[in-house]
Amino acid sequence: MTADEADSSAYIDSAQLRRVSAGSLIGTAIEWYDYFIYGLIAALAFNELFFPTFDPAVGTIVAFLSFAIGFVARPVGSIVFGHLGDKIGRRNTLIATVVVMGISSGAIGLLPTYSTIGVLAPILLVVLRIIEGMSVGGEWGGAVLMVVEHAPPEKRAFYGAMPQYGSPIGNLGSSGVVALVTLLPHDQFIAWGWRVPFLLSFVFMGIALYIRFKVDETPEFRKIVQQDRTVKVPLFHVLRTNWRRVLIGVCASLVGSAPFYLLTTFIVNFGTETLHLAAGILLTGTMLGAVLEGIAIFFGGQLGDRFSPWKAVGTTALISVLLAFPLMALVGTASPPLVIIGIGVGIGLLGLPYGALGSMMADMFPDRSRYTAVAVSYNVSGAIGGFAPSVALASVAVFGGTIWATAVLLALSMLITAFGGILAGRAAHNDALTS
């Protein structure tokens, strides 16, 4: 970041900074709520509702693949919304992402099922999931830049962690709502209860829009416009000047997808189908994890400001590598208290590197194409990590119900995150030598 860029971020008044922080946090929480709901309901009901012609196990895998398709759409959304974010501004683009997500997620709750309209039902489901994925592709990067580009230099990691709180809040909200509707008798849950979490998206969209209309554009983007420094095609600018750093960002960002969905979407299905536990037990674990993750994100952001974001990401990711097998061993016991602890602590640990990730990513790229660079890096990683539940489910089928393959996937994904953090440190060192 140049001295001018640092100066521009320092002039924002504290009241506006609070509004920006709240807007990024709440808006991102609602976006992630919408996105997580799909994964949870896919694990519990979509094989029966939309893919009933398959064997139940195969139908669940297909339902998870429909979940993963949203991740494939995320890089497309990152390009589209990243372009808008670098051309028309962070604020206006974030308003668009929340509208697209709210409408597509709420519409899922209105879909007829396979028993009503046949094969058209899963087709429409997949189309709406793709639209959801495109929206998320533009959300996280923009929300991070809104706060980082408003924040004073010495607090960029702290404020850059604000959108990350959206993940545990969205997880907590989605898990809580799904836990409530799963208390219904199974026939009522299948008949109408599964729709309720999706329909709430319309309400949450209105709340997010109200908040986002009240925040201002970032000082850094306003300066880009004033100096006429916008680039014609941000994606081409990123690939021409920073493609190596995009790869680093892809590695570091894996913490936001693969391990998280292994410990939420996959574990809910594994616990109910293989361990024969009640869904409420698994959802209690994910809700505990959401609380612990929120606490860990706070400390991750603090570590980022104290030591540097890349050190916080690289070092803390190694903790999850070391604890992956012990935590999955707790889940494998099928003892409800130990399962809850294994899931909760596992999700919680992800918050440490995740808390510093936003400021680390923003610092790696120049301001003119930063929205595109951050969004593409994060969402290419998300597209890769989104297939983790399907891979884990297939490994369970191949290896006879064991959870150890899942532990390997969890450890590997966190090792890649740590590697990305270390490489980001090398990039930061090179920047310091050339500045």
Side-chain angles (χ1 to χ4, degrees):
M1 184 177 65
T2 67
D4 286 341
E5 290 171 345
D7 289 342
S8 70
S9 67
Y11 289 117
I12 189 68
D13 65 87
S14 57
Q16 177 65 200
L17 184 55
R18 286 194 297 270
R19 286 195 295 271
V20 169
S21 300
S24 290
L25 189 158
I26 296 172
T28 307
I30 292 170
E31 284 260 343
W32 283 122
Y33 165 88
D34 291 341
Y35 207 64
F36 294 160
I37 281 294
Y38 189 103
L40 292 172
I41 300 298
L44 296 171
F46 276 177
N47 63 330
E48 189 174 345
L49 291 166
F50 292 96
F51 308 101
T53 59
F54 293 98
D55 173 88
V58 176
T60 301
I61 293 176
V62 173
F64 275 169
L65 287 174
S66 74
F67 171 75
I69 284 172
F71 288 87
V72 176
R74 282 173 56 174
V76 178
S78 71
I79 295 170
V80 173
F81 289 110
H83 182 92
L84 294 174
D86 285 321
K87 298 290 283 186
I88 68 172
R90 290 43 164 143
R91 173 185 178 271
N92 291 334
T93 303
L94 287 173
I95 289 171
T97 62
V98 79
V99 170
V100 173
M101 172 59 84
I103 292 175
S104 58
S105 183
I108 292 176
L110 299 174
L111 274 183
T113 61
Y114 189 93
S115 63
T116 303
I117 60 172
V119 71
L120 186 59
I123 292 174
L124 291 174
L125 178 69
V126 170
V127 168
L128 290 172
R129 179 60 177 174
I130 290 171
I131 296 172
E132 275 193 336
M134 290 184 65
S135 171
V136 169
E139 168 65 27
W140 185 85
V144 164
L145 296 188
M146 277 295 291
V147 284
V148 169
E149 291 182 354
H150 273 103
E154 71 278 4
K155 301 289 282 184
R156 282 166 73 94
F158 173 80
Y159 284 105
M162 291 298 167
Q164 275 75 291
Y165 291 113
S167 176
I169 293 172
N171 181 22
L172 187 63
S174 60
S175 297
V177 172
V178 173
L180 288 175
V181 296
T182 55
L183 294 176
L184 293 167
H186 182 72
D187 59 339
Q188 292 185 38
F189 173 69
I190 294 297
W192 60 268
W194 69 273
R195 298 181 184 275
V196 173
F198 291 106
L199 295 175
L200 287 173
S201 299
F202 290 125
V203 178
F204 296 149
M205 177 182 68
I207 296 172
L209 282 175
Y210 175 79
I211 294 170
R212 287 192 166 168
F213 272 114
K214 285 184 169 292
V215 300
D216 295 335
E217 184 54 78
T218 74
E220 289 187 31
F221 184 78
R222 290 201 303 268
K223 190 170 184 178
I224 292 169
V225 173
Q226 290 167 0
Q227 297 176 348
D228 195 24
R229 291 192 297 115
T230 58
V231 294
K232 187 173 182 180
V233 183
L235 178 65
F236 293 167
H237 184 262
V238 170
L239 296 179
R240 186 177 66 252
T241 61
N242 285 286
W243 65 269
R244 292 182 180 86
R245 295 192 178 199
V246 169
L247 294 179
I248 292 172
V250 169
C251 291
S253 298
L254 201 61
V255 65
S257 57
F260 183 84
Y261 290 108
L262 284 172
L263 292 167
T264 53
T265 301
F266 167 73
I267 286 294
V268 168
N269 179 265
F270 179 82
T272 54
E273 299 297 325
T274 302
L275 301 180
H276 306 294
L277 295 169
I281 293 172
L282 287 310
L283 293 171
T284 299
T286 64
M287 287 188 284
L288 171 64
V291 174
L292 295 179
E293 185 187 17
I295 296 170
I297 286 171
F298 172 80
F299 286 107
Q302 296 283 354
L303 291 171
D305 281 325
R306 182 169 183 179
F307 297 105
S308 80
W310 73 264
K311 288 180 181 178
V313 171
T315 303
T316 59
L318 294 175
I319 299 175
S320 290
V321 175
L322 297 174
L323 294 180
F325 284 89
L327 291 173
M328 290 302 94
L330 292 179
V331 174
T333 64
S335 168
L338 296 181
V339 169
I340 291 171
I341 292 172
I343 295 172
V345 174
I347 295 173
L349 288 173
L350 303 181
L352 291 172
Y354 198 45
L357 180 66
S359 58
M360 188 197 85
M361 296 280 283
D363 288 345
M364 283 202 301
F365 300 105
D367 55 2
R368 293 190 297 165
S369 54
R370 185 178 288 156
Y371 199 130
T372 298
V374 172
V376 168
S377 302
Y378 186 78
N379 289 287
V380 168
S381 183
I384 297 168
F387 285 90
S390 300
V391 174
L393 192 62
S395 71
V396 168
V398 171
F399 295 106
T402 180
I403 200 170
W404 295 117
T406 306
V408 171
L409 289 173
L410 178 60
L412 179 62
S413 61
M414 294 309 297
L415 187 62
I416 293 172
T417 292
F419 181 64
I422 293 168
L423 291 180
R426 291 185 60 185
H429 178 69
N430 292 337
D431 288 344
L433 291 177
T434 56
S435 62

